[in-house]
Amino acid sequence: MLEQNVDDQYSTWVGLVYIFNLIVGTGALTLPAVFSRAGWALGLSVIIVLAFISFITVTFVIEAMASANAIVAWRHIRQGKRILQLTCGESGPSNSDSEDTPLVPSVTSSPDNLDTTYRYYDINDKIEMGQMASIFFNRFGTTLFYLCFAVYLYGDLSIYGAAVAKSLADVACTHLPKNFTCNDTIPDTEICWEDTNFRRLDAYRIFLTMFVSFLGPFVFFNVQKTKYLQLLTSILRWLAFTTMIIYALKSLIVYGPRGNPPVANIAGVPSLFGACVYSFMCHHSLPALVAPIANKSKLNRFLALDYTLIAVFYLLLALTGIFAFQRLDDLYTLDFGPRGLSDCSKSDNIFMLLLEYFLALFPVFTLSTSFPIIAITLRNNLQSLFLKEDQVYNSCLQKLVFPILAILPPYLIAITTKDLSILVGITGSYAGAGIQYLIPTFLVYYARKKTNKIIGLGIVNKFASPFSNRCWITFVVAWAITCMILVSVNFIQMHLQS
């Protein structure tokens, strides 16, 4: 856990932009396709509901962060008291220093007490989710946390690899079947270039291998994302998403609605659920983004504004896409690529052609910068899951085995399937639901129990979630379990039907 340097702090608005950029990523590119399958009315309702529940658990994470800071501050004071007692020659801790004795035992504490202890619930230290798990969970709960987090990161890397390789293959393969139209789906068995036996699937696998071979070795080292790299990817992300929305709106105005999505289709909800969970995910990185914010007095209100804007942005992206295109690829950027729009609009404009290539290759630009960071994070979490801090291990285990374990499984998963809707659906529906729903809920539940016991009831957590009633905790847990059961039943039915 690190205390924030004043020079590293930024304003609330900058922090919310960072959170917006973190949330709006790969998941958003898979939304239009699954949104279309679920139906425009049902999809709209699902996105609004999931955005609200995701915001609830974000406030749980914020409260847990403040509680963790309070526990850490209390431990520092307790340790200082012990050192003072030893220095003064006292024989041992007094009864008032017992861990079972709250710092402020009742709500009738004096104002002076409240003033000196109010800072306990300030978010000054950057305490990551894993550290919070070790503070509030027992050994079994901490292990489950790291296991869930590792599974999610495996899915994340698989999605990144598949999205990049699919984008490169779609742009590189120039052969089109006879009587092809821009609304047709080109099968993987189709050849990639004229007069060759090289299939599109072969091109996908070669690009995937090249991508992992080029960026995978970074997992053996420590790489930090720079501010300028983050700024560049943010600019590219805003440019790409804004262009896609404007282009879809232009198509609707010029050509009229070409898509005919249903009003509601229950069968499409499980895939939409997984994509939405994945698309609203920021919980695992929230401590690193929130801690440097200088003024956190209205943090929950600003986060509510952020989530509202993101939900509106997603609805605008999905609604324009499902009506502008007759057929949607599971990676939305490919609907704007040279194979798609150029054949539909017959544009010879060099600027438009460059724009189409930029949109088609957009996942390559943005995901390539994040892939090494995610891989290193996964490697570190695998080490935390399987290795004990107080033991010495063979250096080969840490420098070779765990980096390979972080890279190889996602590569094999992406080689097996290039269907992003399946990868995002499974990752979001299971590990994503665990990180976004279950872990924040259990963290805030045990954080409240521990702070009430140690800090006492006399100090109010100023970062407490507005959803403080225990009914909200029960609701989120029941919602997560119900959704995972329904998604599992749907996947089984789809497997049996196929």
Side-chain angles (χ1 to χ4, degrees):
M1 60 201 74
L2 300 173
E3 188 171 349
Q4 292 300 314
N5 192 309
V6 176
D7 296 334
D8 296 331
Q9 292 184 337
Y10 41 71
S11 68
T12 307
W13 289 107
V14 172
L16 295 184
V17 169
Y18 284 166
I19 294 173
F20 186 98
N21 291 336
L22 173 69
I23 296 176
V24 180
T26 317
L29 298 179
T30 66
L31 269 181
V34 294
F35 191 93
S36 178
R37 294 169 203 157
W40 64 267
L42 184 58
L44 186 148
S45 303
V46 169
I47 286 183
I48 293 175
V49 170
L50 291 183
F52 175 67
I53 298 176
S54 181
F55 170 69
I56 292 176
T57 54
V58 160
T59 64
F60 287 171
V61 174
I62 298 298
E63 180 178 343
M65 287 171 59
S67 299
N69 272 265
I71 296 297
V72 170
W74 174 83
R75 287 176 177 174
H76 287 166
I77 289 181
R78 191 164 179 261
Q79 185 179 11
K81 286 183 179 180
R82 288 179 175 176
I83 294 174
L84 184 62
Q85 288 168 354
L86 292 174
T87 304
C88 296
E90 295 183 18
S91 57
S94 63
N95 292 333
S96 62
D97 195 34
S98 171
E99 187 165 338
D100 293 330
T101 304
L103 183 67
V104 181
S106 69
V107 294
T108 57
S109 300
S110 66
D112 292 338
N113 248 351
L114 291 178
D115 289 340
T116 58
T117 56
Y118 192 67
R119 66 181 181 273
Y120 272 81
Y121 286 105
D122 279 345
I123 303 177
N124 295 320
D125 296 339
K126 184 180 73 174
I127 303 178
E128 300 289 358
M129 292 280 284
Q131 294 170 306
M132 285 191 279
S134 63
I135 291 174
F136 299 121
F137 294 160
N138 57 22
R139 177 66 182 174
F140 178 71
T142 305
T143 301
L144 286 181
F145 165 81
Y146 280 112
L147 184 62
C148 181
F149 199 51
V151 172
Y152 175 79
L153 293 178
Y154 271 129
D156 226 9
L157 291 177
S158 302
I159 293 166
Y160 281 24
V164 169
K166 188 170 182 176
S167 300
L168 290 171
D170 195 79
V171 171
C173 293
T174 57
H175 170 75
L176 299 177
K178 293 181 179 179
N179 302 321
F180 170 80
T181 66
C182 61
N183 294 315
D184 291 339
T185 301
I186 303 179
D188 293 335
T189 54
E190 193 69 38
I191 61 172
C192 188
W193 298 290
E194 296 287 349
D195 302 324
T196 65
N197 294 323
F198 196 74
R199 300 174 304 164
R200 299 178 70 89
L201 182 60
D202 298 328
Y204 164 81
R205 289 174 174 172
I206 287 178
F207 281 122
L208 175 63
T209 303
M210 292 173 58
F211 174 73
V212 174
S213 300
F214 181 71
L215 294 178
F218 283 100
V219 76
F220 294 92
F221 310 99
N222 288 316
V223 183
Q224 297 297 326
K225 186 185 294 185
T226 65
K227 181 187 297 185
Y228 300 105
L229 185 60
Q230 187 181 49
L231 178 63
L232 176 61
T233 55
S234 298
I235 293 172
L236 291 176
R237 182 182 289 109
W238 276 94
L239 178 62
F241 280 107
T242 303
T243 302
M244 285 186 284
I245 292 174
I246 293 175
Y247 215 129
L249 285 172
K250 172 183 171 291
S251 178
L252 285 172
I253 294 172
V254 174
Y255 302 106
R258 288 183 286 187
N260 187 27
V263 177
N265 178 22
I266 299 297
V269 170
S271 297
L272 180 60
F273 170 76
C276 285
V277 170
Y278 190 75
S279 299
F280 284 112
M281 180 67 71
C282 71
H283 303 62
H284 56 301
S285 300
L286 208 56
L289 296 178
V290 168
I293 295 176
N295 182 8
K296 307 180 183 73
S297 59
K298 299 180 180 179
L299 188 58
N300 283 332
R301 294 182 185 178
F302 280 102
L303 285 170
L305 174 63
D306 221 5
Y307 261 80
T308 302
L309 292 176
I310 291 169
V312 171
F313 182 82
Y314 282 169
L315 289 173
L316 188 60
L317 184 73
L319 287 171
T320 55
I322 64 175
F323 288 106
F325 295 96
Q326 185 176 341
R327 181 199 64 84
L328 289 170
D329 197 284
D330 57 354
L331 188 63
Y332 190 43
T333 49
L334 297 184
D335 294 309
F336 297 86
R339 174 181 60 80
L341 287 179
S342 60
D343 289 321
C344 291
S345 59
K346 304 295 183 184
S347 174
D348 295 326
N349 188 309
I350 186 64
F351 173 76
M352 295 302 298
L353 188 62
L354 290 175
L355 187 62
E356 290 162 7
Y357 272 107
F358 164 70
L359 291 176
L361 295 174
F362 166 68
V364 181
F365 302 141
T366 56
L367 300 185
S368 296
T369 60
S370 302
F371 187 87
I373 308 298
I374 301 297
I376 292 169
T377 304
L378 175 58
R379 179 202 67 190
N380 295 338
N381 277 273
L382 290 174
Q383 292 177 355
S384 300
L385 178 61
F386 293 106
L387 303 182
K388 296 182 179 179
E389 294 183 1
D390 55 349
Q391 292 188 14
V392 179
Y393 295 91
N394 191 308
S395 60
C396 178
L397 183 65
Q398 293 180 320
K399 296 182 179 180
L400 185 62
V401 175
F402 282 105
I404 292 176
L405 286 177
I407 288 296
L408 188 58
Y411 169 74
L412 295 177
I413 293 171
I415 280 286
T416 304
T417 177
K418 57 184 290 191
D419 192 329
L420 286 174
S421 61
I422 292 178
L423 291 175
V424 171
I426 293 176
T427 302
S429 299
Y430 296 104
I435 292 175
Q436 189 169 142
Y437 296 150
L438 296 178
I439 289 175
T441 304
F442 287 118
L443 272 177
V444 78
Y445 174 75
Y446 286 107
R448 290 170 183 173
K449 289 184 65 176
K450 189 158 188 172
T451 52
N452 287 343
K453 177 181 178 183
I454 293 178
I455 308 299
L457 298 174
I459 309 175
V460 176
N461 186 345
K462 61 180 179 180
F463 293 102
S465 169
F467 310 96
S468 57
N469 193 295
R470 189 170 292 187
C471 293
W472 287 108
I473 290 179
T474 305
F475 165 72
V476 173
V477 173
W479 168 267
I481 294 174
T482 302
C483 288
M484 285 190 282
I485 292 173
L486 292 176
V487 167
S488 301
V489 170
N490 180 263
F491 279 136
I492 292 173
Q493 289 177 346
M494 289 174 59
H495 179 72
L496 293 176
Q497 290 175 359
S498 61

